[in-house]
Amino acid sequence: MDYFNDYRGLPRSIYFIFLSRIINSVGAFVGPLLTLLLTDKIGLSTAEAGVFVTMSTAVFVPASMLGGYLSDRFNRKNTLCLLTLFQALSYLACGFLQMSMTIPYLLLAASFFSSAAQPASGAMAADLSVKSNRQGAFSLLYLGTNIGFAVGPLIAGFLYKSYLPLLFIGDAVTTIVSVIVIFLNVPETRPEYDIEEEVKSEDSERAEEGSSLQALFRRPQILVFGIISMFLSFSYSQVHFSLPLYANELFGANDGARVFGMLMSTNGVVVVLMTIFIIGKTKMFEASTNVAMSAVFWAVGLGMLYYVSSLGMMVLSTVLWTIGEILNVTNVGVYIANNSPKSHRARFNSLYWIISGTGQAMGPTIMGKYLLNNPIKNVWALTFFIALICSAAMFFFSINEKSRMGNSVEKQ
């Protein structure tokens, strides 16, 4: 029961955000099946689908910058709720249209609004927590997301095959309900501070003057952390782009969607069952060290797909890369929050995800074109080497971070 101690005594609002994420992720039907929607239902080639998935990811850049600015300057809760509502309405419209090129553009709009809402969500979680309970808060919210993902993809696979309009409508309705939970139960969290007093502080979360870029260059460690994460996210992007295509190649179009849904549900179940245990075993390590370990699990879990083609081994692969996902997601947010100024918290959140998300955005385009002339199994060999190199780079970064923090303590 000691493993649950990190989740006890958190702010009441964190528990409502946790509930909201469960509701939202139970109905997150569209995202996991995006590649199959574009290729199987709308008729795009793998290369065209790769470009479109990249576009849906690339809109994160302007959307996140807008969302970060609004969240730091105005009201975080209202920003989150309003933008998420627009995302839901975009999905809802898809449910009443025939399959055509109108659908992908509505999905682009949904991606824009979802991306714009993320900085507010991350900043609110950081505002409501402190360094001593932040890993518990962030891992609980991550757990909430994946409790829904444990069942959502199975429902999505069923709807995709038999009731396609409900795929969009169900996603929209659960998103709206999740917004209502936040709006009614979570107060505004944007902190108040005295900038003259803050600049004298040695706290890593002290407020900063100037633009977000000026503040970022005063904290170059976040830039380096983001660049390494960019290559890591490139490798992980293949889970949602190449893996469903690989499942289709191995099991056929209809069964491929079902198998991919099963793998995504396995991902959710592993997260639900193992997150508490993994956090308990790794919380004594630095966040950057845990991110480095996550890359090792990604390298092994995704790399082994080069050699396997059975469902059982693909499930084992999913378990391994999911452990990497748990280590990555529960520590990245902690590192960024612990090193971001409270005055620029949402904008730092957006800047980090813009940098690291570049890999996520480019992954489908690069691999989509690569697949025109190469067998899909080769993707997993490339993924293995990229993740392994990133792991070594992040371990080196972690060692330097410990040295930097030690020197900072000595100066104080």
Side-chain angles (χ1 to χ4, degrees):
M1 293 300 292
D2 289 345
Y3 288 115
F4 290 90
N5 286 339
D6 288 336
Y7 300 136
R8 296 192 181 102
L10 294 172
R12 176 176 175 270
S13 294
I14 290 289
Y15 297 121
F16 278 109
I17 297 175
F18 168 70
L19 175 61
S20 172
R21 292 198 179 185
I22 293 175
I23 295 168
N24 196 9
S25 60
V26 164
F29 303 145
V30 177
L33 295 175
L34 179 58
T35 302
L36 296 182
L37 279 167
L38 295 173
T39 55
D40 185 34
K41 298 298 184 182
I42 296 176
L44 301 183
S45 68
T46 56
E48 290 171 332
V51 171
F52 203 90
V53 173
T54 294
M55 289 171 60
S56 70
T57 308
V59 298
F60 177 85
V61 175
S64 183
M65 291 175 66
L66 174 63
Y69 176 81
L70 294 175
S71 301
D72 277 337
R73 291 302 180 98
F74 302 106
N75 187 296
R76 287 182 182 168
K77 184 178 82 168
N78 290 347
T79 298
L80 173 64
C81 291
L82 188 61
L83 291 170
T84 306
L85 181 61
F86 287 148
Q87 174 196 356
L89 294 175
S90 299
Y91 284 144
L92 191 63
C94 293
F96 296 95
L97 296 174
Q98 296 295 321
M99 286 294 105
S100 68
M101 282 305 295
T102 303
I103 298 291
Y105 290 109
L106 282 171
L107 295 180
L108 271 180
S111 180
F112 178 90
F113 293 125
S114 174
S115 299
Q118 287 182 23
S121 179
M124 289 176 72
D127 293 338
L128 291 165
S129 59
V130 294
K131 289 179 181 177
S132 60
N133 67 8
R134 189 162 281 152
Q135 188 173 46
F138 275 67
S139 64
L140 180 66
L141 298 182
Y142 169 68
L143 187 61
T145 299
N146 284 277
I147 288 173
F149 279 141
V151 296
L154 286 177
I155 301 172
F158 172 74
L159 294 176
Y160 178 84
K161 186 174 181 180
S162 304
Y163 302 97
L164 190 60
L166 291 181
L167 190 81
F168 301 104
I169 295 170
D171 202 323
V173 170
T174 52
T175 300
I176 291 170
V177 174
S178 73
V179 167
I180 292 172
V181 171
I182 296 290
F183 187 77
L184 295 179
N185 297 286
V186 180
E188 170 58 13
T189 66
R190 193 165 68 93
E192 300 291 337
Y193 54 85
D194 183 337
I195 191 64
E196 292 184 1
E197 292 299 320
E198 289 289 326
V199 295
K200 300 175 185 177
S201 171
E202 295 296 328
D203 183 25
S204 60
E205 296 179 53
R206 67 183 181 276
E208 297 274 10
E209 294 182 297
S211 69
S212 53
L213 284 177
Q214 289 172 326
L216 180 64
F217 287 126
R218 295 189 197 111
R219 298 170 187 238
Q221 70 271 21
I222 291 185
L223 194 59
V224 176
F225 186 83
I227 290 171
I228 299 173
S229 296
M230 176 179 68
F231 290 97
L232 258 180
S233 67
F234 176 90
S235 66
Y236 187 69
S237 69
Q238 301 315 308
V239 167
H240 295 289
F241 181 72
S242 294
L243 188 55
L245 297 176
Y246 192 49
N248 265 14
E249 180 174 287
L250 294 177
F251 303 101
N254 286 330
D255 286 340
R258 180 182 57 82
V259 168
F260 181 67
M262 184 184 301
L263 295 178
M264 291 299 98
S265 289
T266 299
N267 168 256
V269 169
V270 171
V271 168
V272 171
L273 295 180
M274 296 189 67
T275 294
I276 296 173
F277 174 77
I278 291 171
I279 293 299
K281 291 295 185 181
T282 61
K283 64 183 179 181
M284 73 287 296
F285 301 122
E286 297 291 333
S288 53
T289 301
N290 287 333
V291 173
M293 287 192 290
S294 78
V296 175
F297 281 96
W298 281 352
V300 176
L302 294 173
M304 69 181 285
L305 291 173
Y306 181 84
Y307 296 102
V308 305
S309 58
S310 68
L311 179 58
M313 292 304 291
M314 291 181 76
V315 170
L316 175 60
S317 163
T318 301
V319 171
L320 292 174
W321 62 252
T322 298
I323 293 173
E325 177 190 316
I326 294 169
L327 283 168
N328 187 278
V329 176
T330 57
N331 285 277
V332 162
V334 171
Y335 182 84
I336 298 303
N338 287 349
N339 289 276
S340 297
K342 64 184 71 172
S343 54
H344 296 67
R345 193 166 269 160
R347 282 170 287 177
F348 263 49
N349 192 285
S350 67
L351 283 170
Y352 167 77
W353 289 112
I354 287 170
I355 295 168
S356 66
T358 300
Q360 183 84 13
M362 294 306 298
T365 293
I366 292 174
M367 288 304 187
K369 293 182 178 178
Y370 177 79
L371 288 174
L372 293 176
N373 300 303
N374 296 275
I376 193 168
K377 63 181 289 187
N378 287 2
V379 167
W380 309 121
L382 291 173
T383 300
F384 170 80
F385 286 111
I386 292 170
L388 206 60
I389 292 169
C390 288
S391 176
M394 190 62 80
F395 271 121
F396 183 73
F397 174 82
S398 181
I399 293 170
N400 276 271
E401 278 289 276
K402 291 178 184 177
S403 175
R404 181 180 66 83
M405 295 303 295
N407 291 336
S408 177
V409 171
E410 288 179 5
K411 289 179 181 178
Q412 293 180 36

